[in-house]
């Protein structure tokens, strides 16, 4: 699994961080998503899929 | 999987797409049909009043999924097909072309449409902002730099005002509320927003209704206000909320009120679930029947409806959420977690209104009910658990919030009926 994000789509909702805090964080200044593990461990796959699904800006893409 | 063998999702926007994706992610491998009234593949609405209207994005960037991802869902995608009826006995959806689509499981996600002013349908110069076509039409109009009069001071109106000023239009914003967005944010923060819009050159007219639109030579030429004034207009944007698309369900036996009246699990009938803007469900947190017109809710409810549709009998889970909405205006990033409608107190947690960088908690009946942040996105997320857990107000204040931000506590700060408008195209 590989994660890509489109930063200019990100609205800083932080929903991804709530769902998968080990994989996503937000920048301090503008809240834009930070991917901590672009190729996350398998046990995070379901959380990552959920995070991408609930992103209100459709900014997270998961390649499997 | 023995049941269902066929699922139909009506509504091909955020909620419908989330339901379709949710079904597949849960392992549903039967036939799946996604029916959409618009001719476009699923696209996102929040950018319509932001990047698309501003011209920084073209329409293709609003697509919610690439064609490859969509085709990977193994859908029968029926676009440009309005659903006109539902036969719950035969378990068939009736389409505008007369064809009928059979289902064992059905998810209804037909959303809402922009509310219009009477007598203005199809009048050149009068716009709403809900669909891609709406946004493109308004964008073309704004390129002529007209005097844009915006009727409605909610999210759509405020965002469009910011964009239109950026494009060099003269802008007048008319709202019957005491301040722009005060329905969602309260008067104090609404006053800050008004100041920001005024500094950017928007004429903000508050506490006044738009009585009617002047039409001359078949075109909108102005707006008559309830105080007798007339504001001349080259274009008018009407952003006064949205109406659930439920008319096609008349006579189907699906319970209708302000939207589709589902149970707590989003179930609306035998084999029928609803999701997104159109769904009204008894929120387990408050007990009140609730309909949320936010982008995030559409995704969450689409997923929840998919899960519950596939759940074993009796295993469906009540839907619960902390609503989230955001708005971008000029360099302000405004975010709301929870429900601010009916809040009876507001406390500043961090930052200051004057600096236009702050977080604030909203309380109701002694408990935290919402959190609002302006240009403090990460710190705001830290307040979300207080909202989710409805922490007692005194406890929240003890943790560092300051009440009140201005003067005395604000009794009845926000009207009970106020539901924040969504962030995109009157969504």
């Amino acid at each position: 699994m590989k994660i890509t994000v489109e930063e200019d789509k990100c609205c800083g909702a932080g929903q991804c961080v709530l769902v998968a805090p080990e994989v996503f964080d937000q920048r301090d200044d503008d809240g834009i998503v930070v991917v901590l593990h672009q190729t996350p461990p398998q046990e995070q796959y379901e959380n990552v899929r959920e995070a991408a699904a609930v992103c209100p800006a459709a900014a997270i893409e998961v390649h499997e | 999987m023995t049941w269902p063998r066929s699922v139909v999702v009506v509504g091909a926007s955020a909620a419908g797409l989330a339901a379709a994706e949710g079904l597949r992610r849960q392992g549903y491998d039967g036939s799946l049909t996604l029916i959409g009234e618009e001719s476009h593949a699923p696209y996102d609405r929040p950018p319509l009043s932001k990047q698309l209207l501003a011209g920084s994005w073209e329409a293709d960037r609003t697509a919610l999924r690439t064609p490859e991802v969509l085709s990977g869902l193994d859908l029968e995608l029926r676009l440009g097909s309005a659903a006109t009826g539902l036969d719950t006995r035969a378990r068939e959806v009736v389409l505008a072309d007369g064809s009928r689509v059979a289902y064992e499981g059905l998810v209804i996600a037909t959303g809402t449409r922009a509310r219009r002013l009477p007598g203005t349908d199809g009048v050149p110069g009068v716009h709403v902002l809900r669909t891609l076509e709406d946004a493109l039409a308004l964008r073309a109009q704004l390129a002529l730099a007209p005097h844009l009069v915006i009727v409605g001071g909610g999210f759509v109106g405020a965002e469009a005002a910011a964009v239109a000023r950026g494009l060099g239009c003269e802008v007048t914003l008319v709202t019957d509320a005491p301040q722009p967005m005060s329905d969602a944010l309260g008067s104090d923060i609404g006053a800050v927003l008004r100041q920001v819009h005024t500094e950017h050159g928007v004429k903000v007219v508050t506490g006044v209704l738009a009585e009617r639109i002047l039409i001359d030579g078949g075109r909108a030429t102005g707006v008559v206000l309830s105080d007798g004034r007339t504001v001349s207009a080259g274009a008018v944007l009407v952003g006064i909320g949205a109406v659930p698309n439920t008319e096609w369900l008349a006579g189907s036996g699906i319970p209708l009120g302000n939207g589709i009246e589902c149970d707590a699990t989003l179930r609306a009938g035998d084999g029928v679930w609803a999701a997104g803007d159109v769904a009204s469900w008894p929120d387990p947190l408050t007990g009140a029947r609730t309909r949320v017109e936010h982008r995030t809710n559409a995704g969450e409810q689409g997923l929840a409806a998919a899960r519950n549709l596939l759940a074993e009998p009796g295993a469906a889970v009540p839907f619960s959420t902390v609503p989230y909405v955001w708005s971008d205006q000029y360099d302000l990033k405004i975010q709301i977690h929870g429900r601010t409608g009916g809040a009876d107190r507001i406390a500043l947690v961090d930052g200051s209104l004057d600096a236009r960088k702050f977080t604030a908690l909203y309380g109701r009946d002694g408990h935290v009910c919402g959190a609002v942040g302006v240009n403090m996105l990460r710190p705001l997320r830290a307040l979300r658990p207080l909202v989710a857990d409805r922490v007692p107000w005194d406890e929240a204040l003890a943790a560092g919030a300051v009440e009140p931000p201005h003067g005395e506590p604000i009794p009845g700060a926000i009207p009970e009926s106020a539901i924040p408008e969504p962030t995109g195209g009157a969504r």
Side-chain angles (χ1 to χ4, degrees), chain B residues 129-157:
Chain B
L129 188 41
R130 165 76 192 166
T131 67
L132 191 50
E133 273 77 19
D134 293 340
L136 291 172
L138 181 59
R139 184 166 94 173
Q141 186 71 219
L142 295 186
L144 307 173
H147 177 192
L148 177 69
V149 177
I150 298 171
V151 178
F155 283 71
V156 167

Side-chain angles (χ1 to χ4, degrees), chain B residues 86 88 108 246 249-263 266-270 272 274 278-281 289:
Chain B
L86 177 64
T88 44
I108 302 174
T246 55
L249 296 165
S252 67
I254 299 295
L256 304 176
N258 174 22
I260 295 172
E261 299 200 332
C262 318
D263 71 12
L266 305 177
R267 188 176 173 279
D270 214 12
V272 182
V278 79
S280 156
W281 89 111
R289 190 163 276 288

Side-chain angles (χ1 to χ4, degrees), chain B residues 49-51 54 148 150 154-173 180-181 190-204 326-334 356 374-375:
Chain B
S49 54
K50 306 180 180 81
Q51 296 96 330
L148 177 69
I150 298 171
F155 283 71
V156 167
E159 288 179 5
V163 170
R165 280 303 297 151
L167 294 172
C169 302
E170 192 186 337
V171 177
T172 302
L173 181 75
M181 291 184 53
V192 174
L193 270 182
R194 178 194 196 130
Q195 181 63 28
V196 172
H197 279 281
T198 303
E199 283 169 16
H200 281 85
V202 175
K203 293 192 192 94
V204 180
W326 83 98
S327 181
D328 299 338
Q329 295 165 37
Y330 313 105
D331 57 352
L332 300 187
K333 288 182 105 53
I334 304 161
R356 293 161 191 177
V374 171
N375 288 351

Side-chain angles (χ1 to χ4, degrees), chain A:
Chain A
M1 174 184 279
K2 188 169 187 299
I3 303 165
T4 54
V5 297
E6 292 188 68
E7 282 192 8
D8 69 332
K9 278 191 175 182
C10 176
C11 65
Q15 303 282 331
C16 55
V17 190
L18 295 166
V19 176
E22 290 175 34
V23 180
F24 298 101
D25 198 358
Q26 287 177 279
R27 292 205 297 245
D28 267 330
D29 51 345
D30 57 8
I32 299 294
V33 60
V34 175
V35 183
L36 303 173
H37 298 287
Q38 284 195 320
T39 53
Q42 194 156 2
E43 67 265 21
Q44 289 293 328
Y45 283 8
E46 199 42 45
N47 288 345
V48 170
R49 291 184 194 117
E50 178 89 11
V54 300
C55 171
I60 300 170
E61 202 167 330
V62 179
H63 313 267
E64 302 198 53

Side-chain angles (χ1 to χ4, degrees), chain B residues 292-304:
Chain B
V292 178
E293 293 180 2
H294 298 163
R295 172 64 180 82
T296 316
N297 183 69
E300 290 176 351
Q301 279 194 341
L303 282 175

